[in-house]
Amino acid sequence: MFEKALKGNNYYWMWLAFLGFIIAVGGISYLRQFFYGLAITGMSRDVSWGLYISQFTFLVGVAAGGVMLVLPYYIHNYKAFGRITILGEFLAIAALLMCMMFIMVDLGQPLRALNVMLHPTPHSMLFWDMCVLLGYLFLNILCGWVILTAERKQVAPPKWIYFFVYVSIPFAISIHTVTAMLYCGLPGRHFWLSAIIAPRFLASAFAAGPALIVIMALILKRVANFDAGKEAIDKMVTIIIYAAIANMFFLALEFFVGFYSQIPGHTHTLQYLFSGLDHHGHVYNNLVPFMWAFLILFVIGIALISYPATRKGSDLWLGLGCASIFIAFWLDKGIGFVLGGFVPSPINEITEYYPHLNELLITAGVWAAGFFVLTILYKIAIGVEHEIEA
Amino acid sequence: MDQKRRTFLKVAGISTLAGLGAATGVGRLIGGAESAMAAAEEAQVNASAQNGTGQNAACGDACINRYGMLIDARKFREDPTLGERVVLACHREHNVPNIPIKKDEIKWIWMTHYDNAFPEQANLYRDEVNAQFQLPILCNHCDNPPCVRVCPTQATFRNADGIVMMDYHRCIGCRFCMAGCPYGSRSFNWSDPRPYIDSADMNRDFPTRTRGVVEKCNFCDERIRKGLLPACVEACGDSKAMVFGNLNDPNSEIRQMLKQHHTVQRNPSLGTLPSVFYIV
Ligand code: SF4
Ligand code: SF4
Ligand code: SF4
């Protein structure tokens, strides 16, 4: 089926070349980091995880978000999702590849990464995260490929594949739950030490993942003559609205617990993120603009995708609404959550994080690599669709 | 092989066997580092000290030693130069690089204010003494160490004698342990540390590290095995500003001092059971 990725119009090749260029820049930047060390990042003794791990955390959510198509289609037999379920599965593959790349570029000794398998350590959540991420990647490749092949031959998919499809559903939940457990089990990090982190991660994932799929479906409608169907899009938007509101509800609960109990440890990071934290007379507020952008984009996005005129009236408004939600939750989880958790440090010092240019280029490179894979996978999926129709 | 080393190996060996046999899957999962409620049961420890085999959860059957440290902050106030000497002694002994860039710095022991060492003890009306003076902080060699629990490769592990150790050759540099340590005890080699080590001062008997691994105080494991005191304790001379010893031996100096003085541990509410105690 790969031959489908080799035939495309000029725009297709230009897009791939553009991504390829960013990948190349990211690759060179990575070589620089590989030979010099992580000192050419903004990370420090106090903020020991930066953009890489925060992108990883967000993208695990994007990968898990695909389950919002798989579950209704396979469990509830919701036929309208038939055409786009494959988009969810392939998005999961691309997102998981990005996750793994982000982990690799974050390691101080990437050549020793296999130590995690050579010395399996069940009391480390990172070990389990690796297990479920690899498992979910395998399941999505297997299910996506087998089902697409069957579709192409216009036969029903083999019965055994449904076993793996059903297994992939709890796996999707588990990848984000275990990723939340990386954070929420650490003593002394008050912002992360909250039982609601896992549900909050899932809620934001089930909004951000489908939002990206809707955007993709709208783009594919224009550039690849692929119509996901009005009903499917509409149902997805409903899912996004509920999940997005659930995320905000959980966030509001964090605010309540922090500011009603008035326990300093529970309020410091929230203050740092949303209003700035006063520390020995200096106000630290590096991330405040990002967090307010998150709130504003959420309001704009939810308005655009809820108000009937913009939701049903025009693809452009709908797309912008979904993009707002996606970016809002990226700011929330892909910036604020991880970076904010390190402030203040356990010894009550504040170090702010400013990403290094090299780090930004590597981050862009990994995103570009993910979209490169995604483009090729979608090209194949849509090629097959067109072949059946023809 | 000298006697100390043999005892050490014996303890380590027995504990490994016990650990393999006794630890259940669930116990390993939630327990992380098999934890010892050290010195919790005085009677039990007394008994074990007498017959030489400690009944201690940390090491299954035999746990003769559990090392600990007592830091007398008063002494550091009396002699303001002592802090610097202590830090220097450690960093020289262990080839800790002196990196001028703040974000990349590496430190095993350092002087800090009371408010930073004990942030949960904030006081609206700070006494002058604590506002002004500093005390040393280092890895607590927690009896229930979160850093060991989170490490995905066991590059951070807990010795049978309670020392939390690093394997610089296994560490993948994921820095999970840095997020997990609630005391900020760990440093990462953001770049090659060797250019920042003064070669004239270098200790050829101790390894230097490569870039991309985490490091921290090792309670001078390499010195204890030779029967020496930790370098920082040695630098205090006879001042008794730092006392090092076996917490499992009720007759040890450190246990006697713990009995006689009111001491505190850093953030004990987290359940990490630090092995470093302070008189403030
Ligand atoms: S102080 Fe930190 S590094 Fe040291 S044993 Fe405790 S958790 Fe681990
Ligand atoms: S950085 Fe090294 S010691 Fe720390 S958790 Fe990762 S592998 Fe373990
Ligand atoms: S015990 Fe040893 S390694 Fe730890 S701070 Fe003292 S001198 Fe340094």
Side-chain angles (χ1 to χ4, degrees), chain A residues 41-305:
Chain A
T41 66
M43 292 183 274
S44 56
R45 198 175 185 280
D46 286 341
V47 186
S48 48
W49 283 335
L51 265 189
Y52 301 148
I53 294 295
S54 59
Q55 302 309 292
F56 156 80
T57 307
F58 176 73
L59 285 166
V60 172
V62 172
V67 78
M68 284 290 107
L69 299 174
V70 173
L71 192 143
Y73 181 61
Y74 287 104
I75 303 274
H76 300 288
N77 202 15
Y78 184 68
K79 289 276 188 287
F81 281 171
R83 296 197 75 186
I84 53 169
T85 302
I86 191 79
L87 297 188
E89 282 162 342
F90 280 176
L91 176 62
I93 294 174
L96 285 169
L97 289 174
M98 282 190 261
C99 289
M100 301 199 170
M101 282 187 269
F102 274 120
I103 290 282
M104 286 307 289
V105 298
D106 184 68
L107 292 184
Q109 289 284 344
L111 300 180
R112 297 183 190 163
L114 280 182
N115 278 0
V116 180
M117 289 180 204
L118 297 177
H119 310 283
T121 309
H123 51 68
S124 172
M125 286 301 122
L126 204 56
F127 166 75
W128 290 109
D129 214 29
M130 182 205 69
C131 293
V132 289
L133 287 173
L134 284 178
Y136 192 55
L137 179 63
F138 164 78
L139 285 170
N140 274 292
I141 293 176
L142 181 75
C143 299
W145 209 252
V146 169
I147 290 171
L148 196 64
T149 313
E151 221 172 277
R152 189 184 189 192
K153 294 190 191 129
Q154 306 215 19
V155 295
K159 283 267 175 307
W160 56 265
I161 195 67
Y162 288 101
F163 171 76
F164 292 99
V165 170
Y166 294 137
V167 170
S168 80
I169 293 170
F171 252 90
I173 311 284
S174 75
I175 59 167
H176 220 19
T177 306
V178 179
T179 303
M181 286 172 174
L182 295 179
Y183 299 99
C184 69
L186 302 178
R189 304 269 178 194
H190 296 286
F191 181 60
W192 294 339
L193 191 73
S194 160
I196 211 153
I197 297 301
R200 183 150 110 78
F201 270 19
L202 286 169
S204 87
F206 293 159
L212 188 57
I213 296 173
V214 170
I215 297 169
M216 289 299 160
L218 295 176
I219 293 174
L220 292 176
K221 193 160 138 189
R222 284 183 71 93
V223 302
N225 196 20
F226 169 86
D227 193 0
K230 266 211 157 13
E231 192 191 341
I233 298 275
D234 201 49
K235 188 56 104 196
M236 281 225 281
V237 171
T238 307
I239 293 174
I240 296 168
I241 294 171
Y242 279 112
I245 290 173
N247 180 43
M248 300 314 274
F249 174 60
F250 294 152
L251 179 64
L253 292 178
E254 292 277 21
F255 269 93
F256 174 80
V257 169
F259 288 94
Y260 194 81
S261 72
Q262 304 261 324
I263 297 175
H266 290 270
T267 55
H268 280 159
T269 300
L270 289 172
Q271 281 171 340
Y272 173 64
L273 287 175
F274 289 91
S275 63
L277 184 60
D278 187 345
H279 189 79
H280 298 320
H282 186 288
V283 178
Y284 295 88
N285 54 10
N286 220 352
L287 296 177
V288 172
F290 293 97
M291 289 299 104
W292 280 95
F294 149 54
L295 295 180
I296 293 166
L297 281 172
F298 166 77
V299 173
I300 294 176
I302 207 86
L304 284 177
I305 63 174

Side-chain angles (χ1 to χ4, degrees), chain B residues 69 90 94 108-109 138 141 217-220 230-233 242:
Chain B
M69 189 183 276
C90 171
H94 298 108
W108 285 26
I109 176 170
L138 65 160
H141 296 274
C217 154
N218 66 350
F219 247 18
C220 283
C232 54
V233 177
M242 296 172 101

Side-chain angles (χ1 to χ4, degrees), chain B residues 97-106 191-193 195-197:
Chain B
N98 184 11
I99 302 177
I101 311 154
K102 170 100 174 36
K103 83 177 179 65
D104 296 341
E105 74 184 335
I106 294 177
S191 60
D192 184 4
Y196 298 99
I197 304 171

Side-chain angles (χ1 to χ4, degrees), chain B:
Chain B
M1 202 188 284
D2 66 313
Q3 188 57 38
K4 276 213 167 59
R5 167 114 179 113
R6 201 168 313 166
T7 318
F8 170 79
L9 287 178
K10 203 169 96 198
V11 170
I14 291 169
S15 67
T16 316
L17 282 179
L20 284 177
T24 63
V26 174
R28 283 186 159 230
L29 183 63
I30 56 174
E34 304 97 35
S35 137
M37 306 297 282
E41 302 294 337
E42 185 98 8
Q44 187 188 341
V45 175
N46 273 339
S48 61
Q50 272 151 24
N51 64 21
T53 55
Q55 282 292 324
N56 201 317
C59 34
D61 284 326
C63 200
I64 300 165
N65 298 331
R66 182 197 164 197
Y67 293 117
M69 189 183 276
L70 176 63
I71 296 174
D72 189 343
R74 296 171 307 184
K75 301 276 164 47
F76 284 88
R77 295 198 285 268
E78 279 165 21
D79 181 357
T81 63
L82 183 58
E84 200 183 320
R85 292 208 306 273
V86 160
V87 173
L88 200 66
C90 171
H91 287 185
R92 208 179 252 165
E93 172 82 17
H94 298 108
N95 298 323
V96 176
N98 184 11
I99 302 177
I101 311 154
K102 170 100 174 36
K103 83 177 179 65
D104 296 341
E105 74 184 335
I106 294 177
K107 40 194 187 185
W108 285 26
I109 176 170
W110 67 103
M111 300 299 289
T112 192
H113 286 282
Y114 176 83
D115 288 0
N116 298 105
F118 300 90
E120 72 286 2
Q121 300 289 339
N123 191 327
L124 189 54
Y125 304 105
R126 294 194 299 171
D127 52 304
E128 265 178 12
V129 167
N130 278 330
Q132 196 180 343
F133 289 96
Q134 295 193 316
L135 45 82
I137 57 174
L138 65 160
C139 168
N140 285 302
H141 296 274
C142 306
D143 204 18
N144 182 15
C147 55
V148 173
R149 199 182 310 145
V150 300
C151 176
T153 61
Q154 293 153 44
T156 284
F157 58 98
R158 192 181 178 287
N159 260 350
D161 53 15
I163 299 184
V164 176
M165 299 276 291
M166 279 289 314
D167 181 342
Y168 305 120
H169 300 281
R170 190 186 280 191
C171 175
I172 59 173
C174 64
R175 307 190 296 293
F176 203 1
C177 52
M178 291 176 82
C181 170
Y183 302 102
S185 306
R186 299 179 151 260
S187 309
F188 182 71
N189 286 283
W190 298 100
S191 60
D192 184 4
R194 283 161 197 144
Y196 298 99
I197 304 171
D198 183 358
S199 53
D201 250 4
M202 206 160 124
N203 176 6
R204 309 265 162 206
D205 296 329
F206 197 80
T208 55
R209 274 73 68 193
T210 57
R211 65 160 181 260
V213 298
V214 165
E215 61 182 76
K216 66 167 193 75
C217 154
N218 66 350
F219 247 18
C220 283
D221 171 75
E222 80 287 356
R223 292 173 60 95
I224 298 167
R225 288 198 213 183
K226 290 193 221 140
L228 299 169
L229 280 174
C232 54
V233 177
E234 200 177 75
C236 295
D238 295 328
S239 69
K240 296 255 181 293
M242 296 172 101
V243 174
F244 184 84
N246 179 8
L247 293 172
N248 279 355
D249 174 3
N251 300 317
S252 63
E253 186 184 12
I254 185 167
R255 281 291 297 280
Q256 292 301 321
M257 291 192 60
L258 285 172
K259 208 180 255 174
Q260 286 155 15
H261 296 91
H262 173 68
T263 56
V264 287
Q265 292 159 297
R266 292 175 62 200
N267 210 343
S269 67
L270 299 175
T272 53
L273 306 175
S275 303
V276 177
F277 300 81
Y278 289 85
I279 302 174
V280 283

